[in-house]
Amino acid sequence: MQSLIAEFSADVPMQDKRRAVRRKLRLDSKVSIAKSTTRVVVLDLSARGMMIHTETELAVGEAFEVDLPLAGAFEACVIWRRMTLYGCEFRSPIPGAAISAALLKARHD
């Protein structure tokens, strides 16, 4: 009889669990929630999601639109929150051109 040994590690870095590579950047943008608009800083971006910083409190599960340069608005949803950082997933993957435009418009400080 053969036995199977499996090892599970909680130490796997978060980026290794993602389906898409995220690009680090610092992009000033705005999100529209219901009828209000608030400023955010996009800290990383991929075709499937992003991490943002904002002083405005958002709830996990809350849907909004984020404005990306030269690409327009994309629907996203808050997946997790840590203080003023929010992990967000796009309703559908955004085009590579939107990511490229965001990288070109990002701050380089």
Side-chain angles (χ1 to χ4, degrees):
M1 179 152 129
Q2 293 182 340
S3 61
L4 177 64
I5 299 174
E7 181 177 325
F8 298 95
S9 174
D11 295 333
V12 176
M14 191 66 176
Q15 64 268 21
D16 293 342
K17 295 178 185 178
R18 295 183 180 143
R19 294 176 282 181
V21 175
R22 293 197 181 205
R23 304 292 301 268
K24 299 249 184 253
L25 69 160
R26 288 189 61 80
L27 176 70
D28 295 319
S29 188
K30 60 184 176 181
V31 298
S32 301
I33 307 162
K35 296 183 182 191
S36 66
T37 301
T38 189
R39 294 208 170 276
V40 301
V41 178
V42 180
L43 299 173
D44 71 26
L45 181 66
S46 77
R48 298 192 174 272
M50 65 185 165
M51 181 172 58
I52 62 174
H53 161 76
T54 183
E55 296 296 326
T56 302
E57 189 169 326
L58 304 174
V60 171
E62 189 166 10
F64 60 89
E65 286 188 343
V66 62
D67 189 39
L68 295 178
L70 306 174
F74 294 93
E75 289 184 52
C77 179
V78 176
I79 301 300
W80 59 262
R81 174 185 180 195
R82 286 188 201 106
M83 309 218 12
T84 61
L85 297 177
Y86 296 85
C88 308
E89 182 176 64
F90 292 116
R91 188 160 314 273
S92 56
I94 65 172
I99 296 168
S100 295
L103 288 168
L104 288 172
K105 293 287 186 177
R107 290 186 289 180
H108 300 283
D109 45 87

